[in-house]
Amino acid sequence: MKKSPLPVQNVNRSDKNVAGKEALVKLLRWHFGHGDFRGKQLEAIQAVVSGRDCFCLMPTGGGKSICYQIPALAKPGIVLVVSPLIALMENQVMALKEKGIAAEYLSSTQATHVRNKIHEDLDSGKPSVRLLYVTPELIATKGFMLKLRKLHDRGLLNLIAIDEAHCISSWGHDFRPSYRQLSTLRDSLTDVPVLALTATAAPKVQKDVIDSLSLRNPLVLKSSFNRPNIFYEVRYKDLIDNAYTDLCNMLKSCGKICAIIYCLERTTCDDLSLHLTSTGISSAAYHAGLNSHLRSTVLDDWLSSKKQVIVATVAFGSWGHVINALMVFLQNDKKDVRMVCHFNVPKSMESFYQESGRAGRDQLPSRSVLYYGVDDRKKMEFLLRNSENKKSPSSSSKKPTSDFEQIVRYCEGSGCRRKKILESFGEEFPVQQCKKTCDACKHPNQVARSLEELTTTASRRHNSSRVFITSSSDNKTNEGQYSEFWNRNEDGSNSDEEISDSDDGADVVKSLAGPKLSRKLGVDEKLVLLERAEEKYNESNKQVKKSEKNAISETLRESSKQRLLNELTKVLQLLGVKEIDSQNASEFLESECYRKYSKAGKSFYYSQIASTVRWLGTASRDELMTRLSSMAREEEPSGEPILVTEPSQNIEQEDGTTYTAEPHVDETTQQLVISPSCSPIRLPEIPSFSEFVNRRKMKHSTEGSDGKKPSKIMKLK
Ligand SMILES: Nc1ncnc2c1ncn2[C@@H]1O[C@H](COP(=O)(O)OP(=O)(O)OP(=O)(O)O)[C@@H](O)[C@H]1O
Ligand SMILES: [Mg+2]
């Protein structure tokens, strides 16, 4: 329902009057229906309305938008809002318009006549728009800056709000180079107050934002980052027989709750979701690898609570940022998420806080569960080290690995989890205030026992590594105190090529600038919009890097070997098979996939690796032994063969068909060589994904499960 502009009549009063609490609360109640200001909202509003710069740090969902929306209603003129994503701007503008507040956004995705209308309004003597949302890219254009200067000269620009201001900082988790250029705003529009808003609490981000925007004597406001309604806990994968089963049981014990599970890789999302579905938990995978139709169906089902659990990839690269943003704007629509589970260790405390913070936005009791595993830690450290190495020495000195250490401390330390989260943001937190709302405070003995067991298990599994876990209960950890589960110098085994959303260097906004936006977009349309943008992005990326992307690099091969090794280790342990060397076997299986699919390209290779991993998960002892027996034959000649790096080759025969020449050991040189004289070996067939799903379906139906489950699995497929 539209509201009359009644309270805005205050606009002609002096700044002192409009900044009065009473008048501001009146505006808040009238336009937004909230009884009073929350946290530091009032202070922030009063500061900017009286012309002072302000840096406002509030947790996600803390109510940052009000801090610039109320000033737009309290004073004449325009509030310029810089926002990183068109979808986010769209969402806010739509909500404001529904409240009868004159808000617009400007972007290249709009129809020319819509943009022209907004420009005409801005050029008119008395613009009707109160809040104008723009991207940092638009600010960087000369034409728009000229327009802003004209507005300013006419005394019509009353505030510049930089939302998601951490994007300006290379220390922030969503760094956007175009945000850096916002420093020109202060140079050109010297006396307009600037309000920087973020939920990113790292002190270095704060300093960087204040410096980059040249804020003058800003009022720095920080709200507590404590989320008292979230119970924090860590579960240790290395101490659990099967993490999938553990998660299933936990979800089942909570009843029909709404949950988000974050995984690092798409394949884990698919596998885990399939597993949950097969045990009767309605769930669906959500990641950039799904087609747009499936993705919007999945989200729709989840938002409408048709699906209980969504298994999504975490944001990693810049495209991940968009997927993440998608989740951000969905936050307003989904407040009843009761559990957020990190199935793989997150890359930093920042990410963990943001992601787990999606639980309990309705302030009701909720849960954050992090599954921590030594292998996951290794993988993440490798990825972060890799991304550090990719950066030029001249770029920011940000060290993702040191951010990662905080989350490792969170998992490996025995003290209060909540305290660790808050202290990582520079916030002091007395342990007593946790009131047993984390596993370490609620069950300290149990957590201590787990950590002890973990130390033993880790040192047994990684016997070349140092292992020491902090047991300090006062949380005063330092570099030397927390555990080293593996030797930091040993080469990591996985690559970010396996990470679902790892495309880097892409300009998100550019990629979003394509489809035409309708004025009144619902969630569906927004999803379509983002997905189309993603397709467009992938399309252009494909063209540029097609050949490059098709190549199977050594790092990818290494990561595949590691993936097979992880699965194989689990399977061999489960089946009690001791006679197979998992390292050699995983190399053997990987080279099989490489041999078959290296020429066909990366995605075939990928799917073959994924099929093999799935096959491992279902293979019987006999099947495993049969398949790996060909490997045993290769190893027969005793003595350490010197491995040649060449994979086995497909030898073309005269009739045009090919057969695979297996490697064998040359007895004189003791080298593993490839020779066409070897007879071709018949290997058991690896099931494709659909075969795998169908087999499971058959298995379920023969096991007498209710006839509905298989069709659910088929749908998912
Ligand atoms: N004073 C208030 N009283 C009650 N609810 C409020 C108040 N201020 C804001 N809210 C509500 O809090 C929710 C979150 O607000 P908002 O989106 O501005 O948060 P945010 O800090 O920008 O979060 P994010 O970091 O996710 O962008 C909204 O539903 C909003 O209506
Ligand atoms: Mg916000």
Side-chain angles (χ1 to χ4, degrees):
M1 201 186 78
K2 279 204 170 193
K3 295 261 161 59
S4 79
L6 190 73
V8 189
Q9 65 197 331
N10 290 336
V11 295
N12 291 328
R13 295 196 198 164
S14 70
D15 279 0
K16 198 165 175 261
N17 286 335
V18 295
K21 181 178 175 185
E22 205 186 311
L24 295 171
V25 171
K26 213 166 158 186
L27 286 173
L28 179 77
R29 288 185 185 156
W30 181 262
H31 288 281
F32 297 94
H34 303 318
D36 208 342
F37 288 109
R38 249 184 359 200
K40 312 271 180 191
Q41 282 176 332
L42 181 63
E43 285 170 76
I45 294 164
Q46 287 180 318
V48 295
V49 166
S50 62
R52 185 172 174 189
D53 288 350
C54 180
F55 175 87
C56 187
L57 184 61
M58 265 187 210
T60 31
K64 291 183 282 297
S65 324
I66 288 287
C67 301
Y68 51 81
Q69 287 167 346
I70 290 287
L73 300 164
K75 274 176 93 173
I78 294 167
V79 169
L80 183 77
V81 184
V82 183
S83 180
L85 282 171
I86 293 166
L88 292 174
M89 302 197 296
E90 253 277 322
N91 201 37
Q92 285 211 7
V93 167
M94 187 178 71
L96 289 167
K97 280 186 171 170
E98 272 169 15
K99 290 180 170 63
I101 298 168
E104 295 290 353
Y105 72 92
L106 267 175
S107 97
S108 53
T109 59
Q110 285 163 309
T112 319
H113 74 273
V114 177
R115 263 184 295 165
N116 287 348
K117 217 168 150 220
I118 299 169
H119 281 295
E120 269 170 35
D121 183 49
L122 293 175
D123 295 338
S124 72
K126 222 175 164 210
S128 61
V129 66
R130 310 301 295 252
L131 282 132
L132 181 65
Y133 287 74
V134 294
T135 57
E137 283 75 14
L138 188 64
I139 302 263
T141 62
K142 264 191 192 160
F144 189 70
M145 191 48 96
L146 202 68
K147 182 141 290 179
L148 286 182
R149 251 190 250 127
K150 276 189 191 160
L151 283 171
H152 174 243
D153 293 345
R154 284 151 56 208
L156 287 174
L157 202 55
N158 82 45
L159 173 67
I160 297 166
I162 317 286
D163 205 3
E164 311 288 349
H166 59 270
C167 292
I168 208 169
S169 169
S170 52
W171 299 94
H173 50 89
D174 285 337
F175 174 58
R176 283 271 298 280
S178 53
Y179 254 69
R180 276 275 177 206
Q181 293 168 17
L182 294 178
S183 53
T184 54
L185 282 170
R186 180 31 59 84
D187 303 336
S188 310
L189 312 158
T190 37
D191 53 346
V192 182
V194 176
L195 169 65
L197 305 124
T198 181
T200 301
K204 48 201 173 190
V205 173
Q206 177 190 321
K207 190 179 176 314
D208 206 9
V209 169
I210 291 175
D211 291 347
S212 306
L213 288 172
S214 312
L215 299 189
R216 275 189 307 256
N217 180 30
L219 177 67
V220 178
L221 296 170
K222 290 186 206 171
S223 302
S224 171
F225 273 63
N226 189 17
R227 294 287 308 274
N229 62 321
I230 301 180
F231 184 92
Y232 294 96
E233 75 182 279
V234 178
R235 291 167 102 89
Y236 299 96
K237 280 182 174 173
D238 300 80
L239 308 180
I240 295 169
D241 281 344
N242 185 327
Y244 277 22
T245 314
D246 188 77
L247 178 57
C248 280
N249 293 342
M250 185 175 57
L251 281 167
K252 280 186 176 168
S253 72
C254 297
K256 263 200 159 273
I257 55 158
C258 167
I260 305 175
I261 301 170
Y262 285 112
C263 304
L264 188 62
E265 295 157 14
R266 290 178 195 178
T267 46
T268 320
C269 285
D270 292 335
D271 285 354
L272 186 51
S273 169
L274 203 64
H275 188 84
L276 294 176
T277 309
S278 73
T279 64
I281 296 169
S282 79
S283 84
Y286 180 89
H287 54 67
L290 305 178
N291 69 42
S292 55
H293 175 70
L294 190 53
R295 232 183 310 156
S296 70
T297 311
V298 166
L299 264 166
D300 212 23
D301 286 353
W302 183 66
L303 287 170
S304 60
S305 302
K306 262 191 238 158
K307 289 264 186 243
Q308 194 189 331
V309 180
I310 192 162
V311 191
T313 43
V314 281
F316 207 86
S318 53
W319 187 248
H321 171 94
V322 175
I323 300 294
N324 211 18
L326 188 70
M327 299 306 279
V328 168
F329 92 79
L330 288 173
Q331 279 175 352
N332 287 335
D333 297 304
K334 196 79 179 155
K335 295 187 178 177
D336 61 342
V337 177
R338 293 276 76 85
M339 187 191 293
V340 171
C341 169
H342 284 85
F343 196 69
N344 302 102
V345 63
K347 65 175 189 270
S348 66
M349 191 58 100
E350 286 283 349
S351 313
F352 172 66
Y353 179 80
Q354 300 283 342
E355 286 147 11
S356 62
R358 286 172 193 144
R361 284 170 66 91
D362 54 6
Q363 317 304 323
L364 294 175
S366 306
R367 224 163 138 174
S368 153
V369 182
L370 194 163
Y371 278 86
Y372 181 73
V374 174
D375 290 332
D376 287 352
R377 175 184 160 168
K378 279 172 115 176
K379 185 182 285 184
M380 184 54 87
E381 236 207 15
F382 176 74
L383 291 172
L384 296 172
R385 230 184 355 236
N386 244 12
S387 77
E388 256 171 35
N389 293 343
K390 271 187 209 160
K391 282 185 180 167
S392 68
S394 57
S395 68
S396 127
S397 55
K398 184 182 183 187
K399 285 258 179 271
T401 44
S402 61
D403 287 348
F404 182 56
E405 282 166 7
Q406 284 186 331
I407 199 80
V408 172
R409 275 196 280 263
Y410 173 83
C411 299
E412 294 185 10
S414 60
C416 173
R417 312 269 188 211
R418 190 176 297 280
K419 187 177 168 74
K420 288 198 187 88
I421 296 173
L422 296 173
E423 283 189 347
S424 76
F425 298 142
E427 191 175 328
E428 286 203 11
F429 184 79
V431 185
Q432 316 80 272
Q433 278 183 26
C434 177
K435 300 197 179 101
K436 300 188 194 293
T437 54
C438 76
D439 58 349
C441 290
K442 194 167 183 193
H443 308 291
N445 296 338
Q446 200 177 308
V447 171
R449 257 198 315 276
S450 295
L451 290 172
E452 225 175 277
E453 219 180 302
L454 187 64
T455 316
T456 328
T457 313
S459 61
R460 214 175 31 234
R461 281 187 55 197
H462 305 266
N463 50 5
S464 62
S465 309
R466 291 184 294 135
V467 179
F468 45 94
I469 295 181
T470 175
S471 56
S472 82
S473 51
D474 63 357
N475 299 290
K476 290 253 181 324
T477 47
N478 59 38
E479 288 295 301
Q481 271 179 301
Y482 69 91
S483 77
E484 277 294 324
F485 277 120
W486 72 92
N487 187 342
R488 274 162 187 277
N489 297 326
E490 91 189 18
D491 219 353
S493 44
N494 282 296
S495 117
D496 60 358
E497 284 178 80
E498 216 186 330
I499 305 302
S500 53
D501 301 313
S502 64
D503 301 309
D504 51 41
D507 187 316
V508 177
V509 167
K510 255 189 209 155
S511 66
L512 278 172
K516 211 158 112 180
L517 288 168
S518 77
R519 272 281 179 96
K520 201 172 161 78
L521 293 180
V523 169
D524 271 359
E525 288 93 333
K526 277 178 212 147
L527 287 173
V528 171
L529 171 75
L530 277 164
E531 280 148 9
R532 260 193 246 144
E534 181 188 352
E535 278 158 19
K536 202 176 161 214
Y537 166 82
N538 285 336
E539 201 52 46
S540 59
N541 226 25
K542 245 185 247 164
Q543 279 160 12
V544 182
K545 296 187 186 168
K546 200 171 177 184
S547 57
E548 216 177 289
K549 279 200 156 181
N550 232 11
I552 299 166
S553 67
E554 274 311 306
T555 37
L556 174 58
R557 291 198 64 188
E558 278 311 306
S559 90
S560 303
K561 277 178 206 162
Q562 184 63 38
R563 202 169 147 202
L564 290 164
L565 178 62
N566 292 348
E567 189 62 27
L568 200 58
T569 311
K570 256 195 294 184
V571 171
L572 294 178
Q573 210 175 353
L574 211 71
L575 300 175
V577 178
K578 296 216 170 68
E579 51 275 50
I580 287 176
D581 179 295
S582 53
Q583 188 74 42
N584 285 346
S586 59
E587 280 170 19
F588 168 78
L589 291 171
E590 188 278 334
S591 91
E592 255 186 10
C593 299
Y594 183 76
R595 212 158 47 211
K596 283 189 183 171
Y597 287 97
S598 60
K599 282 190 186 142
K602 196 163 160 180
S603 49
F604 286 94
Y605 170 78
Y606 259 144
S607 71
Q608 194 66 5
I609 292 284
S611 301
T612 311
V613 170
R614 281 195 297 273
W615 175 79
L616 282 172
T618 54
S620 67
R621 192 177 205 280
D622 286 351
E623 284 170 336
L624 204 65
M625 297 305 277
T626 313
R627 181 158 176 193
L628 295 175
S629 60
S630 50
M631 174 194 77
R633 279 205 299 279
E634 282 165 29
E635 284 176 347
E636 251 158 39
S638 59
E640 290 267 309
I642 305 154
L643 284 174
V644 289
T645 49
E646 294 271 84
S648 309
Q649 290 167 1
N650 288 328
I651 309 293
E652 203 158 322
Q653 300 182 107
E654 273 176 15
D655 62 2
T657 58
T658 59
Y659 77 91
T660 308
E662 289 298 313
H664 70 283
V665 177
D666 183 310
E667 280 175 26
T668 9
T669 60
Q670 284 299 298
Q671 279 206 334
L672 192 68
V673 292
I674 298 156
S675 145
S677 62
C678 288
S679 57
I681 292 166
R682 281 213 144 271
L683 294 166
E685 226 183 285
I686 300 167
S688 69
F689 184 71
S690 52
E691 283 165 348
F692 170 77
V693 172
N694 285 333
R695 273 185 209 176
R696 282 182 74 109
K697 185 183 153 192
M698 277 169 62
K699 203 172 158 200
H700 279 292
S701 54
T702 51
E703 278 169 9
S705 59
D706 80 309
K708 282 177 191 166
K709 276 179 208 159
S711 64
K712 270 188 193 168
I713 297 171
M714 287 310 288
K715 250 190 211 169
L716 200 80
K717 178 175 73 98

